[in-house]
């Protein structure tokens, strides 16, 4: 007899449909909700990682994110670094600690993922096990940046879809929210008939990442 969870059908499905479904609770009011995915993206060098780290510090301490969005409680944060190492966020935190409270017990920064391809099933399982070991009650998982965690690039629809599936699996496994850091393409402008024209959508990666 299989121990796998059965699909919803019959009386079980009827109960789901005919009874009120609880609304997803906010983690950060008006910004991030339970089992939601938020993506920030912008040009390289404008400070995406600084913004993401700042939000993680504030959310883990239970203070308003960006001094505006209320955090419902101190959140457990698992921050996956895709490039460089722990020293860069540590240097930034040294500067931020003069203005921000840091809850070191709620913030888990992992630089062991650097260099790993999260589209490899073995690495997926490895990361899930790490989160389950060190932060099993995680509220938000950050990926910063996502392009360096996907071998072959996010422009490939199949790879982008696979990463989205992995993100969905994390949500289901831990009932957590996910914060993704991405960037725009290198050149956000193009020359049309001799004039510089800004591209309508400079987003980097397959459209499946935005679905």
């Amino acid at each position: 007899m299989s121990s796998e969870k059965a699909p919803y059908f019959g009386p079980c499905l009827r109960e789901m449909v005919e009874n009120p479904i609880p609304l997803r609770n906010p983690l950060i009011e008006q910004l991030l909700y339970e089992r939601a995915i938020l993506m920030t993206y912008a040009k390289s060098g404008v400070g995406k990682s600084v913004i993401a780290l700042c939000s993680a510090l504030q959310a883990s301490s239970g203070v308003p994110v960006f001094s505006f969005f209320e955090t419902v409680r101190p959140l457990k944060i698992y921050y996956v670094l895709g490039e460089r190492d722990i020293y860069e966020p540590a240097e930034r935190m040294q500067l931020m600690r003069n203005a921000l409270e840091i809850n070191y017990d709620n913030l888990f920064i992992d630089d062991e993922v650097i260099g790993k391809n999260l589209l490899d099933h073995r690495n997926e399982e490895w990361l899930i096990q790490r989160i389950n070991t060190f932060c099993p009650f995680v509220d938000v998982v950050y990926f910063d940046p996502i392009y360096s965690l996907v071998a072959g690039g996010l422009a490939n629809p199949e790879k982008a879809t696979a990463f989205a599936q992995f993100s969905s699996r994390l949500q289901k496994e831990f009932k957590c929210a996910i914060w993704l850091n991405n960037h725009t393409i290198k050149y956000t402008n193009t020359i049309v008939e001799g004039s510089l024209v800004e591209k309508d959508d400079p987003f980097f990666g397959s459209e499946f990442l935005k679905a």
Side-chain angles (χ1 to χ4, degrees), residues 53 79-94 107-114:
L53 182 61
Y79 202 106
V80 177
L81 291 177
E83 59 186 10
R84 303 182 181 91
D85 56 29
I86 186 61
Y87 291 100
E88 183 170 278
E91 289 171 351
R92 290 169 174 169
M93 289 169 67
Q94 286 182 341
L107 186 61
F108 301 75
I109 301 180
D110 195 348
D111 66 354
E112 286 297 303
V113 190
I114 294 173

Side-chain angles (χ1 to χ4, degrees), residues 160-174:
T161 300
F163 184 79
Q165 290 173 337
F166 175 58
S167 298
S168 297
R169 183 183 172 194
L170 280 180
Q171 286 177 299
K172 184 177 178 62
E173 194 94 13
F174 296 102

Side-chain angles (χ1 to χ4, degrees), residues 36-55:
I37 294 180
L38 182 151
M39 178 185 289
T40 53
Y41 68 96
K43 296 178 182 179
S44 298
V46 301
K48 297 183 300 298
S49 293
V50 173
I51 289 173
L53 182 61
C54 177
S55 71

